[in-house]
Amino acid sequence: MPAKDAPSLPPTALAVLGILSFGRELSGYDVKKWADSSIRFFYWSPAPSQIYAELRRLEGLGYASSRDAPDGDARGKRLYKITAAGRRELRRWLRDAPAEPPVLKHGVALRVWLGHLADPDTLRATVEAHRDYCTHMAEGLERSHAVAEEQPDFAYPALVTEWGRRYYEAERELAEKMLVDLEDLAARG
Amino acid sequence: MPAKDAPSLPPTALAVLGILSFGRELSGYDVKKWADSSIRFFYWSPAPSQIYAELRRLEGLGYASSRDAPDGDARGKRLYKITAAGRRELRRWLRDAPAEPPVLKHGVALRVWLGHLADPDTLRATVEAHRDYCTHMAEGLERSHAVAEEQPDFAYPALVTEWGRRYYEAERELAEKMLVDLEDLAARG
DNA sequence: GGGAGCATGTAACGGGTTACATGATTGG
DNA sequence: CCAATCATGTAACCCGTTACATGCTCCC
C-alpha cells in the first residue's frame, strides 16, 4: 500500500499515467507517439528518455505494471499497463489537487514587447510566422480530433481537441490583429 | 569584446535584459516588480533569487553595469543599467534568433482530457475556476495597459498588453464553450 | 546491403524553484 | 514598537533536456 500523503507526482508523471489511463498496454515508444499526437498540443511532449524514466518510476510506485513483449514482437520491448492503484492516484489528483494555472511562455509576445529594439520588418515577419504556426497547429488538432471521434472511449479527448482547435483559431486571429496594430504604430511613427 | 558566437542566453536572462532595455536604472527588486506587473501575463516571472543571479551574469558579460544606490537610499541596494553591448545583444537576438514556438502547459485542458476519471461536478468547477482566472488576468492586463499608455516610450508594451487582454478574453469564451460541451456530454451520457 | 523506423536507455548538464537566512527602512 | 515591505542573497534540489550509445527489424 504505497501513497500515504503522496507528495503528488511531477506533471510528466501524471501526463504519462494519464496516457496509460485509457487502458491500452503501451511501450515507452508508444507513449511518446501518443503524447506527440495529442497532449503536446495543449500540454507538452516530454523527451523519450524522460518517458522511460517516468514509466520506471510509476512502476516503482505501483501505479503501473509491465511485462516483456510476447515473442515474435520486438525483443527488449516492454509493455506498461496502469494498475488499479494508478487509476486511484489519478482520480485522487483530479479531485484533490487544485488546478495549476496555465503556463504560457509566449516568445512572440516578448519580442513584440521589445519592439523598440527591433527592425519593423523582422517584427512583422515574426508575427506572420506565428500566425502560420497557429494555422498549422489547428490543422494538427483537426486530425487529432478526427482520430478521437472514431473511438468510443475518447469523448473527453475529442472535447479537448475541439477546444484546442478553437484556441489556435483565436490565436491566429489575435496575430492578425497584432499585424494591423503594428502597421498602425509604424504609420503613426 | 565579449560575444563571439554567443551561445544565446537563457530566456530569463533575455527577459531581465529586456526589462532593463527601457532605460531605467533598476534594482533586482524593481526588476521583479516589473516582471510581475507586465511580462508575467504572457511570459512568466522568475523567482527573485534567479533575478539576482541573472543580473550578476549580465554584468559579468558586460551587458549591464551596476552601482551602489546613492547614500540616503537603502544601504546594500544595487542599481543595474543596460550597457550599449547589452542593447546590441538584445538587438542581435531579436534579429537572428528564430522565434521559439509559444509554450503552453494547460493543466485545465489536461484535466478535461482525463475527464473519464473525474467526477463531473469537480470537472465543471475546475473549468469555472479557469474562466474566473481568465477574467482576473484580463483585468490585470487592463491595469497594465493603462500604465503603459501613460508612458510615451511604452508603445510596444501597450500593444502587447492589449493583445494579452484579448487573449484572456478569448480564453474565457473558450472556457464558457467548454462548459456547454461538458454539459452536452453529460446529457448524452 | 542499407536506411528508416522501432525501441530503450545512460550521463551530464543547466535552468529554475523552494526554502531559508539576514538585515534595513517605513508607517501605523 | 511592531509589522509590512524593501532588499539581497545562499544552498539544496529536481525536473527536464541534449547528446550519445546500442541494437533490432522491416522493407526496398
Side-chain angles (χ1 to χ4, degrees):
Chain A
M1 289 287 127
K4 28 189 87 177
D5 230 17
S8 203
L9 297 161
T12 309
L14 266 335
V16 169
L17 193 54
I19 287 173
L20 289 179
S21 81
F22 288 89
R24 273 69 167 175
E25 207 179 6
L26 301 171
S27 67
Y29 199 86
D30 294 330
V31 170
K32 174 63 179 163
K33 278 192 300 183
W34 260 66
D36 280 346
S37 72
S38 54
I39 63 171
R40 76 140 170 144
F41 291 108
F42 54 90
Y43 215 68
W44 97 111
S45 197
S49 60
Q50 206 195 347
I51 289 181
Y52 292 111
E54 294 298 349
L55 284 169
R56 286 192 296 269
R57 156 158 41 186
L58 291 173
E59 184 165 30
L61 291 168
Y63 298 156
S65 64
S66 76
R67 63 181 182 101
D68 282 326
D71 278 8
D73 230 325
R75 250 177 308 289
K77 185 173 177 177
R78 179 152 281 266
L79 296 173
Y80 289 83
K81 219 168 93 176
I82 195 169
T83 62
R87 217 172 266 108
R88 240 185 345 260
E89 171 60 19
L90 263 184
R91 282 221 175 79
R92 198 191 60 75
W93 174 68
L94 285 168
R95 177 166 34 82
D96 296 347
E100 38 310 303
V103 173
L104 178 66
K105 267 181 83 170
H106 209 301
V108 175
L110 183 63
R111 279 156 189 268
V112 175
W113 196 72
L114 295 173
H116 61 290
L117 290 171
D119 152 66
D121 289 339
T122 310
L123 207 52
R124 185 163 39 74
T126 300
V127 178
E128 281 170 355
H130 172 59
R131 176 198 57 193
D132 298 343
Y133 162 82
C134 290
T135 308
H136 182 248
M137 292 294 269
E139 284 165 6
L141 275 157
E142 258 168 67
R143 276 192 296 280
S144 191
H145 185 71
V147 172
E149 281 205 315
E150 284 167 19
Q151 316 278 335
D153 53 338
F154 282 16
Y156 286 100
L159 233 61
V160 175
T161 47
E162 179 57 15
W163 170 89
R165 197 192 53 73
R166 290 182 193 140
Y167 174 91
Y168 284 104
E169 201 68 39
E171 262 284 269
R172 198 184 47 68
E173 281 166 31
L174 288 181
E176 220 74 84
K177 269 186 206 146
M178 176 65 91
L179 286 169
V180 174
D181 289 352
L182 239 26
E183 204 73 30
D184 283 0
L185 186 59
R188 287 205 316 279
Chain B
M1 290 290 125
K4 26 189 87 178
D5 232 16
S8 203
L9 298 162
T12 309
L14 267 335
V16 170
L17 193 53
I19 287 174
L20 288 179
S21 80
F22 288 90
R24 274 71 167 172
E25 208 179 5
L26 301 171
S27 68
Y29 199 85
D30 295 330
V31 170
K32 175 62 178 163
K33 277 191 302 183
W34 260 65
D36 281 345
S37 73
S38 55
I39 62 172
R40 75 139 169 143
F41 290 107
F42 53 90
Y43 215 68
W44 97 115
S45 198
S49 61
Q50 207 195 346
I51 289 182
Y52 292 110
E54 294 298 349
L55 284 169
R56 286 192 296 270
R57 157 158 39 187
L58 291 174
E59 184 166 29
L61 291 168
Y63 298 156
S65 64
S66 75
R67 64 182 181 101
D68 282 325
D71 279 7
D73 229 327
R75 253 178 305 291
K77 186 173 176 178
R78 180 152 281 266
L79 296 172
Y80 289 84
K81 218 168 92 176
I82 194 168
T83 62
R87 216 172 266 110
R88 241 183 346 259
E89 172 59 19
L90 264 183
R91 282 223 175 79
R92 199 190 60 75
W93 174 67
L94 286 167
R95 179 166 35 83
D96 297 347
E100 36 312 303
V103 173
L104 178 66
K105 268 182 81 169
H106 210 301
V108 175
L110 183 61
R111 279 156 189 267
V112 175
W113 197 70
L114 296 172
H116 61 290
L117 290 171
D119 152 63
D121 288 338
T122 309
L123 207 52
R124 186 163 37 75
T126 300
V127 178
E128 281 169 353
H130 172 60
R131 176 197 56 191
D132 298 342
Y133 162 82
C134 290
T135 308
H136 183 249
M137 291 294 268
E139 284 165 4
L141 275 158
E142 258 167 67
R143 275 192 296 281
S144 190
H145 186 71
V147 172
E149 280 203 315
E150 282 165 20
Q151 316 278 335
D153 53 339
F154 282 18
Y156 286 100
L159 233 62
V160 175
T161 46
E162 179 57 16
W163 170 88
R165 197 193 52 74
R166 291 183 192 136
Y167 174 90
Y168 284 105
E169 201 68 39
E171 264 283 89
R172 197 184 46 69
E173 281 166 31
L174 288 181
E176 220 74 84
K177 269 186 205 144
M178 176 65 90
L179 286 169
V180 175
D181 289 354
L182 240 27
E183 204 74 29
D184 284 1
L185 187 59
R188 287 207 316 279

